[in-house]
Amino acid sequence: MRLCIVGGALQGMEATFLGKKADFETVVLDRKPTAPALSFCDEPHVLNPLENPDEARKVFESCDAVIPACEELDLLKSLDSMLSGSSVEFLFDLESYGVSCSKKRSNEVMSSVGVPLPQPWPECGFPVIVKPSSQSGSVGVSVAFDQEDVERGLDTVRTLGDEPVIQEFVHGRSMSVEVIGNGDTARSFVTTEVMLDHNYDCKMVRCFPDLLSPEEDKFFGKIGVDVAEAIGLKALMDVEAIDTPKGLRVLEIDARIPSQTPAAILTGTGINLLEELVASRTDRETGRTNSGRSGIYWHMYQKDGVLRTNGEKEFGHVRNPRMERGLFGSDDSITDYESGSKDWHGTFMVSADTPEKAEARRESVIKKIIETCQVDTYIDGTPDVI
Ligand SMILES: Nc1ncnc2c1ncn2[C@@H]1O[C@H](COP(=O)(O)OP(=O)(O)O)[C@@H](O)[C@H]1O
Ligand SMILES: [Mg+2]
C-alpha cells in the first residue's frame, strides 16, 4: 500500500506514524518545507495542491490511497473533486466532515438519535460554555457564570463571524472513541481518555481497557455507531465526550483522522485505525483483535534545564523529527532529541499488561530523561480547576 498523506503537521505526523507502523509506503505532501512529518515519511514532497494541481495529481496517481491530514476546507474540497471517480481511494468523507464542522448541525443529528448532550441554555442554568459552532482547537470557547459573561462570550463568537452554541458546563474526564463507517454501517473502536495541560491542550492519552464500566463503554461505542450511521459516515471520525457523574455527555464529533488517540490505541491494543480504514474501503478485515493491554501516549518538551509535559500545539514545533524505538526506555517515540541537546520535543509511547505497569513505565521514561538530560525542574501542568 502506497499512501499519500496531504498535510505534514500534527494529523500528518499521526498518519505517517500509523502508516509506517502498518508497513505502508508513506508519501507526505505539505506546502511548508518545515512540516514535521516530511522528515520521517518515505517520500516527502514540498507542494501545494491548490497551486500546483498537476504536480499533485501525479503524486496522487502514483499512490493507492490519499488521506487528507489538514482542516483547510478549500484544500479538502479540491482534493475531493480531484479524486472522486479516480481509481485512487480517497480516505475522507467531505459530506460527513461538513456536518461535523458545525456543532449546531451535529448536535441536531445527535439529539435526533438520542445521544446524551450537555443541556442547552437557558434551561441548564449557570455555569455554561459559550462556544463558536464551526471552530476547532478550543478557539473562542469560554465559561460563563452570569449573563454578563454570556454577552462577552457572544461577542467573541461574533468577532469570529460564527454562530454560538451555549450549553451546560459539564465536569468529568474527557473521553474519546473512534468510529469507521462504510457509508452504510459503522464500527466503533476503543475508548481512550484525553488529559489536558495548563492551556487545555491535550498532553496525554491513556488507552486502558477499564476506563469506563463495561455498560458505559458499550454505550459509548453505540453512540459512535448511531451517529456515524445517522450521517452516513464513509471514513473515520472521533466522538468526544465528558464522563460526568450523570453519565456521558457528548461535546462534539470530528469526521477526519484525529491526532494522538489512534497512536495511543495502537500502543495499547495493537489495533491500527489507519490500517482498519484502508481495509474498510477494500472490504477486507485486518483480522487484528484487541490485545487488551494498556498504553500511554504523551508529549514532553525540554528547554534549558526545564522539562515539561506539554500539549500537542507545543509538540507541533518539533523540528525534523524521526521515529525511534526504545528511546529512554519507551516503546516508540517521535522526537528531535539528539544526545546532549537541551531544547527538544518528544512524543513517547509505552505499553504494559496492566494500567499500573504502564504508568510505572511512563514514570521510568521521565526519570531516565531527567537523569540523562541535566534537567533541574520538571513541570507537569494541569488546567486550573474552575
Ligand atoms: N459543555 C461543556 N462543558 C465543559 N467543557 C466544555 C464543554 N464544551 C466544550 N468544553 C471544553 O472546551 C473544549 C473545546 O470544545 P469542543 O466542543 O471540543 O470544541 P473544539 O475542540 O472544536 O474547539 C473541550 O475539549 C472541553 O475542554
Ligand atoms: Mg474538541
Side-chain angles (χ1 to χ4, degrees), residues 145-176:
F145 294 91
D146 54 33
Q147 188 66 42
E148 229 172 90
D149 292 344
V150 170
E151 295 303 331
R152 249 195 305 273
L154 287 173
D155 276 344
T156 308
V157 174
R158 239 174 269 133
T159 316
L160 292 163
D162 210 332
E163 287 181 279
V165 171
I166 311 180
Q167 59 181 200
E168 176 188 5
F169 181 101
V170 287
H171 297 266
R173 294 176 302 160
S174 293
M175 315 305 289
S176 175

Side-chain angles (χ1 to χ4, degrees), residues 76-372:
L76 294 167
K77 283 182 181 161
S78 143
L79 294 174
D80 185 68
S81 62
M82 254 167 150
L83 293 164
S84 58
S86 88
S87 59
V88 182
E89 277 295 336
F90 187 43
L91 304 175
F92 190 73
D93 175 348
L94 189 60
E95 224 167 284
S96 297
Y97 182 74
V99 176
S100 77
C101 275
S102 157
K103 292 186 178 67
K104 272 185 135 42
R105 266 178 82 189
S106 45
N107 283 351
E108 278 162 23
V109 174
M110 292 197 280
S111 293
S112 74
V113 291
V115 171
L117 304 175
Q119 239 199 330
W121 188 69
E123 295 92 292
C124 60
F126 290 108
V128 293
I129 282 275
V130 183
K131 56 186 177 182
S133 174
S134 309
Q135 309 289 317
S136 63
S138 300
V139 170
V141 177
S142 61
V143 186
F145 294 91
D146 54 33
Q147 188 66 42
E148 229 172 90
D149 292 344
V150 170
E151 295 303 331
R152 249 195 305 273
L154 287 173
D155 276 344
T156 308
V157 174
R158 239 174 269 133
T159 316
L160 292 163
D162 210 332
E163 287 181 279
V165 171
I166 311 180
Q167 59 181 200
E168 176 188 5
F169 181 101
V170 287
H171 297 266
R173 294 176 302 160
S174 293
M175 315 305 289
S176 175
V177 72
E178 274 74 19
V179 190
I180 292 177
N182 62 12
D184 204 13
T185 57
R187 172 179 170 202
S188 280
F189 287 83
V190 186
T191 301
T192 51
E193 180 185 2
V194 169
M195 325 277 292
L196 306 177
D197 74 354
H198 63 290
N199 282 326
Y200 291 84
D201 192 18
C202 171
K203 64 171 183 182
M204 176 158 88
V205 181
R206 288 178 171 144
C207 178
F208 297 164
D210 55 357
L211 287 169
L212 297 174
S213 69
E215 301 74 42
E216 255 189 324
D217 200 54
K218 207 167 146 199
F219 181 54
F220 198 17
K222 182 180 175 319
I223 288 175
V225 168
D226 288 349
V227 177
E229 293 181 353
I231 63 174
L233 178 76
K234 190 168 186 251
L236 172 59
M237 74 167 190
D238 71 353
V239 182
E240 195 187 323
I242 302 283
D243 179 30
T244 80
K246 291 189 269 177
L248 291 163
R249 295 289 181 272
V250 175
L251 298 189
E252 65 160 340
I253 54 170
D254 274 307
R256 42 96 183 106
I257 181 169
S259 48
Q260 319 185 86
T261 42
I265 289 170
L266 177 60
T267 303
T269 66
I271 294 172
N272 185 328
L273 294 179
L274 186 58
E275 190 183 34
E276 296 292 340
L277 177 60
V278 167
S280 84
R281 284 298 178 94
T282 43
D283 264 337
R284 281 187 306 112
E285 302 256 338
T286 60
R288 302 212 192 274
T289 51
N290 186 337
S291 67
R293 285 166 63 81
S294 294
I296 309 179
Y297 164 110
W298 80 101
H299 306 294
M300 304 214 82
Y301 168 40
Q302 183 180 359
K303 186 148 177 65
D304 302 319
V306 184
L307 177 71
R308 294 172 197 271
T309 56
N310 57 268
E312 68 165 350
K313 284 197 190 95
E314 178 59 50
F315 180 66
H317 296 128
V318 67
R319 284 162 299 203
N320 293 316
R322 62 184 186 281
M323 282 168 59
E324 183 170 330
R325 281 191 64 77
L327 185 64
F328 300 120
S330 65
D331 291 337
D332 283 290
S333 61
I334 304 172
T335 184
D336 55 7
Y337 171 79
E338 301 284 352
S339 175
S341 60
K342 287 197 181 149
D343 183 353
W344 60 275
H345 293 81
T347 295
F348 296 92
M349 291 157 254
V350 294
S351 72
D353 53 16
T354 64
E356 294 71 28
K357 287 186 193 160
E359 296 284 8
R361 284 200 62 200
R362 174 175 181 268
E363 274 164 35
S364 126
V365 169
I366 295 172
K367 192 157 161 257
K368 202 145 177 191
I369 296 173
I370 293 173
E371 284 165 7
T372 315

Side-chain angles (χ1 to χ4, degrees), residues 32-44:
K32 289 193 205 134
T34 50
L38 293 171
S39 64
F40 65 96
C41 67
D42 298 304
E43 194 183 299

